[in-house]
Amino acid sequence: MLHGRINELRYLNNFYEKSGSQMVVVYGQKGVGKTRLLKEFTKDKPGFFYQCRECSEREQQYQWGQELGNQHVRVLRFPDFPELLDASCKESDIKQVLVIDEFQYIIKNSSTFMNALVAFVNNTWNKREVLVVLLSSSTSWVENSMVKKIGEAAYELSGLLKIRQLDFFQIRDAFPGYSMEDAVMLYGILGGVPLLWRYMNPKYSLEKNICEQLLADYGGLRYECERLLTEELRELSVYNSILSALACGHHKLNDIYQHTGFSRAKISVYLKNLMELELIEKVFSYDTDGRENVQKGVYRISNHFVHFYFTYIYANRNMLDLLEPEQFYRTAIKPYLRYYSAPYFKQVCLDYLLRRGQKEDLPIKLTQYGEWVGKAGNIDVILQDESDETLIGCCNFEKPMMTYEDYEWLIFLASKAKIRTDHIWLFSSGRFDEKLYLEEKVKKNLKLISIQDIK
């Protein structure tokens, strides 16, 4: 099934239904579902799909020609790009779709391809309409290098679509037999990357899936993180050291410096590279009047799968090699998995609030949102409307019960952040203490939401 891509399909269909020819770039990290989206989009449309190789221009032309030959289209042994483009789209009254996957491999090794493509798209003498979709898994290259590389051809692009990770509710649909707690923990491990989900059997327990796919030597995901990093990065020893430091809880530049021994200047460069690859993020606190109480320069691993790998597998390699997967899981992972998953429960709660906001089912008309990272503690969720009416939230996943003291601490942090407490929503995967239930009956601005209410 194609989960959660209605808006993306609508975006592409809008271009397809326009008169004339267009050229669109679609990009996103590997495994996020770009190819599956394009297959769904093109299933009832004529056209041609070519996946580029990482090779020389001449070899690329040869391979593209071979692919056309497999479709019974005759071309020269080493055709040039104008001939390849022309042969890929037959003359027809119906608009065709030409998908060029991993197109950056052509761009990097050819100075003529984009000129040929622009000429092809703009060539209307034969009344042939075509939608060219340029697909790429190199998000960093598209966002930071593509425009410079293709030059004036960038003006010919009709659209740019980034395919982002799916949210928690799609993984919830894909694993309907899981409890909400297990679904949150699975989301904390795999994130919103459908390719990773496919390795997990919805009929197996969370423990069995982790043991068989992530921990067992034959598991499909056991070495996936190493493969991802090797493919994207050089000087792995430096990147591994920085990612390990972050996974250990060293989130500030000076803390990483103390842990790794690398110079601050060097660390900054490597952090920037990791951010461009969307493996880590720099945390920006919600802008409030309490700026003097905010933590600055905080980094964290944003890729769920990389975070899990460096927290449990990289850090416990000897134990993993010595123990059976089930023993390793029960010793090194299970006792700590709720704590590890707590930040991802916050994201689940935020996604829930944003969904309700889209349906206008919140006490405020949402215009902006975020989190507040303070020196004394964090406010997990902040939502505001145009008049600064505010909803703040606290999300508990790791403790068996949320207490009245948690509620009081949230109010204290709001005073530090200097924001209003018009609405206070408390989320918990466990119980609420009785004092909170009594407070909810008295305070109209307080709402208690159990994990089972998050739908």
Side-chain angles (χ1 to χ4, degrees), residues 48-238:
F48 184 73
F49 186 104
Y50 175 65
Q51 185 168 39
C52 301
R53 281 66 160 172
E54 192 168 5
C55 59
S56 68
E57 179 181 77
R58 182 175 173 83
E59 177 66 12
Q60 197 78 253
Q61 292 166 335
Y62 172 76
Q63 292 296 337
W64 192 334
Q66 291 295 106
E67 295 284 359
L68 286 168
N70 294 336
Q71 304 261 339
H72 308 291
V73 179
R74 288 190 175 185
V75 294
L76 297 172
R77 186 181 180 191
F78 290 98
D80 60 19
F81 287 123
E83 182 181 358
L84 287 167
L85 292 165
D86 188 65
S88 297
C89 294
K90 302 172 184 177
E91 292 188 17
S92 171
D93 294 332
I94 302 174
K95 192 169 188 174
Q96 296 170 79
V97 181
L98 172 59
V99 181
I100 305 175
D101 196 6
E102 304 298 0
F103 77 102
Q104 73 275 7
Y105 292 148
I106 293 185
I107 303 299
K108 290 177 181 179
N109 292 300
S110 174
S111 60
T112 63
F113 173 72
M114 281 307 298
N115 290 335
L117 183 60
V118 169
F120 171 72
V121 170
N122 291 333
N123 185 2
T124 58
W125 66 269
N126 55 11
K127 306 299 181 184
R128 177 172 54 191
E129 293 187 354
V130 61
L131 172 61
V132 176
V133 181
L134 301 173
L135 210 56
S136 177
S137 297
S138 182
T139 57
S140 176
W141 182 83
V142 170
E143 293 179 346
N144 300 294
S145 305
M146 181 188 72
V147 171
K148 182 178 179 181
K149 188 68 177 177
I150 66 177
E152 292 185 0
Y155 294 110
E156 303 294 332
L157 296 176
S158 305
L160 191 70
L161 174 63
K162 183 173 185 177
I163 308 300
R164 301 182 184 278
Q165 291 193 24
L166 296 171
D167 66 22
F168 166 77
F169 297 97
Q170 274 75 49
I171 202 171
R172 186 79 186 98
D173 292 341
F175 293 82
Y178 275 30
S179 67
M180 276 293 291
E181 288 84 354
D182 283 353
V184 169
M185 289 188 280
L186 182 64
Y187 176 65
I189 296 168
L190 302 182
V193 183
L195 181 64
L196 301 180
W197 302 357
R198 282 187 229 161
Y199 286 91
M200 304 298 198
N201 189 332
K203 296 180 181 179
Y204 291 172
S205 68
L206 176 65
E207 178 178 337
K208 186 173 182 179
N209 269 320
I210 291 173
C211 290
E212 290 195 358
Q213 296 301 328
L214 285 147
L215 305 181
D217 193 55
Y218 57 79
L221 296 177
R222 169 67 185 272
Y223 302 101
E224 178 63 18
C225 185
E226 295 172 35
R227 185 202 62 76
L228 167 67
L229 297 178
T230 302
E231 191 173 276
E232 295 287 355
L233 300 169
R234 303 294 179 265
E235 296 187 80
L236 274 178
S237 61
V238 178

Side-chain angles (χ1 to χ4, degrees), residues 333-362:
I333 297 179
K334 187 175 181 179
Y336 316 105
L337 192 53
R338 276 190 168 273
Y339 178 80
Y340 164 86
S341 304
Y344 302 110
F345 181 59
K346 297 175 187 178
Q347 183 61 51
V348 170
C349 296
L350 176 60
D351 289 342
Y352 167 75
L353 289 168
L354 295 180
R355 280 191 163 203
R356 289 190 60 160
Q358 289 175 348
K359 298 174 183 176
E360 298 185 352
D361 186 26
L362 288 175

Side-chain angles (χ1 to χ4, degrees), residues 363-364 383-391 420 422-423:
I364 63 174
L383 285 73
Q384 283 188 324
D385 64 12
E386 290 180 346
S387 63
D388 290 338
E389 188 174 354
T390 306
L391 186 158
R420 293 158 50 174
D422 302 295
H423 309 277

Side-chain angles (χ1 to χ4, degrees), residues 181-337:
E181 288 84 354
D182 283 353
V184 169
M185 289 188 280
L186 182 64
Y187 176 65
I189 296 168
L190 302 182
V193 183
L195 181 64
L196 301 180
W197 302 357
R198 282 187 229 161
Y199 286 91
M200 304 298 198
N201 189 332
K203 296 180 181 179
Y204 291 172
S205 68
L206 176 65
E207 178 178 337
K208 186 173 182 179
N209 269 320
I210 291 173
C211 290
E212 290 195 358
Q213 296 301 328
L214 285 147
L215 305 181
D217 193 55
Y218 57 79
L221 296 177
R222 169 67 185 272
Y223 302 101
E224 178 63 18
C225 185
E226 295 172 35
R227 185 202 62 76
L228 167 67
L229 297 178
T230 302
E231 191 173 276
E232 295 287 355
L233 300 169
R234 303 294 179 265
E235 296 187 80
L236 274 178
S237 61
V238 178
Y239 288 110
N240 284 343
S241 300
I242 292 173
L243 289 167
S244 176
L246 289 168
C248 289
H250 305 297
H251 298 299
K252 297 179 77 69
L253 181 62
N254 192 58
D255 297 335
I256 300 170
Y257 160 71
Q258 294 288 346
H259 183 85
T260 64
F262 301 137
S263 70
R264 292 176 180 82
K266 181 174 185 175
I267 293 169
S268 296
V269 171
Y270 285 80
L271 287 173
K272 179 176 180 293
N273 293 338
L274 289 169
M275 283 190 287
E276 287 182 354
L277 291 170
E278 299 181 341
L279 299 179
I280 72 168
E281 63 184 350
K282 188 172 184 179
V283 181
F284 291 97
S285 194
Y286 193 89
D287 188 21
T288 70
D289 290 336
R291 296 179 186 86
E292 69 277 8
N293 296 314
V294 166
Q295 279 200 76
K296 298 177 182 177
V298 177
Y299 298 87
R300 64 185 171 206
I301 300 175
S302 55
N303 183 296
H304 299 207
F305 189 61
V306 172
H307 187 198
F308 180 85
Y309 171 83
F310 276 92
T311 301
Y312 294 110
I313 297 176
Y314 179 89
N316 298 286
R317 182 62 63 82
N318 278 5
M319 189 191 303
L320 182 56
D321 288 341
L322 293 172
L323 299 180
E324 292 299 314
E326 293 76 14
Q327 291 177 291
F328 179 86
Y329 175 80
R330 290 164 192 166
T331 302
I333 297 179
K334 187 175 181 179
Y336 316 105
L337 192 53

